[in-house]
């Protein structure tokens, strides 16, 4: 049920200070599908080295209210134990999306039956008494990502709702985690003066929805939009590269 991949072979850091990592997550297939384009993309890009020295490290999340966020936090912690976590891009499948959907906002509510049969109905993700804010914005450079994906000849748009199912859930829960827990969690694992002083900003993070693969559209009525594996992969690689460049700052 979900898994965190081991560091890739041929680690480019051997004998050097570790380069930062971008955590890239996908979800297991769900809802009767045998594939999830988000998982396939995360698997395909695991171990890629991006231009400013960022290493892509992937994890696959279960489509369960109990397991998804735990697996995500475990993956982020596993990375942070050995190298700086430079950015986090979470991927999910969005039935009906005709293009790469760059999610702008995560909301504090959960709905729907997960892969284990457990159901949420308008349930706050972070409930009172502590409470969480109604929403979090993505901290990825969405406008630049959209422009770069379009410049590569692929359609992308900024979406104002990631829904209220598992994708919105991990998006919201992780942004809340970064806002409330991460600096201390990071400092505990990897003491650094900046972290201890609480000056280290959380890594940029956000969610990207991808369309069905063409074979998932076969046999459905009406026929939903889809995008090829290689096009999705190229678009997400572009999103990763832009995020790494902006996270690295000016040379
Ligand atoms: N898409 C679902 C959850 C898992 C996935 O890939 C969603 O959009 O919430």
């Amino acid at each position: 049920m979900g898994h965190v991949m081991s560091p890739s072979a041929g680690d480019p850091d051997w004998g050097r200070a570790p380069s930062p990592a971008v955590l890239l997550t996908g979800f297991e297939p769900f809802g009767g599908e045998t594939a999830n384009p988000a998982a396939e993309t995360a698997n395909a890009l695991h171990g890629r080295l991006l231009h400013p020295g960022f290493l892509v490290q992937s994890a696959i999340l279960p489509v369960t209210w109990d397991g998804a966020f735990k697996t995500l936090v475990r993956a982020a912690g596993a990375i942070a134990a050995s190298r700086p976590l430079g950015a986090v891009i979470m991927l999910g499948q969005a039935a009906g999306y005709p293009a790469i959907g760059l999610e702008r906002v995560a909301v504090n509510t959960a709905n729907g039956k997960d892969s284990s049969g457990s159901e949420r109905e308008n349930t706050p993700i972070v409930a009172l008494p502590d409470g969480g804010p109604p929403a979090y914005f993505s901290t990825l450079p969405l406008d630049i990502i959209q422009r770069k994906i379009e410049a590569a000849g692929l359609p992308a748009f900024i979406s104002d709702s990631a829904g209220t199912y598992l994708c919105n859930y991990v998006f919201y829960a992780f942004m809340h985690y970064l806002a409330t827990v991460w600096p201390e969690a990071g400092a505990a694992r990897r003491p650094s003066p900046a972290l201890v002083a609480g000056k280290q900003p959380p890594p940029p993070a956000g969610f990207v929805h991808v369309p069905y693969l063409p074979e998932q559209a076969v046999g459905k009525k009406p026929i939903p939009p889809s995008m090829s594996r290689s096009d999705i992969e190229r678009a997400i690689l572009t999103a990763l590269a832009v995020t790494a460049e902006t996270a690295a700052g000016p040379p």
Side-chain angles (χ1 to χ4, degrees):
M1 276 299 160
H3 59 279
V4 178
M5 277 173 240
S6 56
S8 49
D11 192 323
D13 298 326
W14 198 83
R16 279 183 277 152
S19 56
V22 182
L23 171 58
L24 180 67
T25 68
F27 275 101
E28 290 174 346
F30 68 104
E33 300 291 333
T34 53
N36 188 325
E40 295 208 7
T41 307
N43 282 329
L45 297 178
H46 178 66
R48 285 295 176 97
L49 190 60
L50 305 168
H51 179 55
F54 280 57
L55 182 68
V56 179
Q57 294 287 277
S58 300
I60 307 302
L61 313 180
V63 185
T64 60
W65 301 117
D66 280 349
F69 178 62
K70 275 185 211 149
T71 308
L72 174 57
V73 167
R74 195 150 36 88
I79 289 174
S82 62
R83 58 179 75 244
L85 183 66
V88 181
I89 297 186
M90 297 163 269
L91 301 178
Q93 160 193 302
Y97 269 26
I100 301 294
L102 310 170
E103 299 296 347
R104 193 197 307 272
V105 62
V107 297
N108 189 11
T109 191
N111 272 297
K113 199 179 268 189
D114 72 10
S115 290
S116 75
S118 160
E119 192 158 8
R120 300 275 162 102
E121 207 184 320
N122 297 325
T123 313
I125 295 168
V126 180
L128 294 170
D130 293 345
Y136 281 101
F137 283 119
S138 172
T139 50
L140 300 176
L142 298 185
D143 294 320
I144 313 176
I145 292 174
Q146 183 186 3
R147 261 185 274 126
K148 286 280 167 80
I149 292 176
E150 287 174 344
L154 296 167
F157 67 107
I158 295 179
S159 156
D160 293 320
S161 172
T164 58
Y165 194 46
L166 260 299
C167 290
N168 173 76
Y169 174 74
V170 293
F171 183 14
Y172 182 93
F174 196 69
M175 297 312 287
H176 187 69
Y177 174 76
L178 287 181
T180 57
V181 179
W182 176 257
E184 292 78 28
R189 273 191 295 273
R190 191 167 41 82
S192 89
L195 278 173
V196 171
K199 287 198 183 114
Q200 182 93 339
F207 201 97
V208 178
H209 262 126
V210 302
Y212 275 143
L213 297 167
E215 65 265 33
Q216 294 179 279
V218 174
K220 290 189 171 74
K221 294 249 174 337
I223 299 172
S226 62
M227 192 182 271
S228 75
R229 278 176 179 71
S230 59
D231 283 349
I232 295 177
E233 216 176 286
R234 207 150 52 86
I236 299 307
L237 198 52
T238 303
L240 287 162
V242 170
T243 302
E245 270 161 40
T246 44

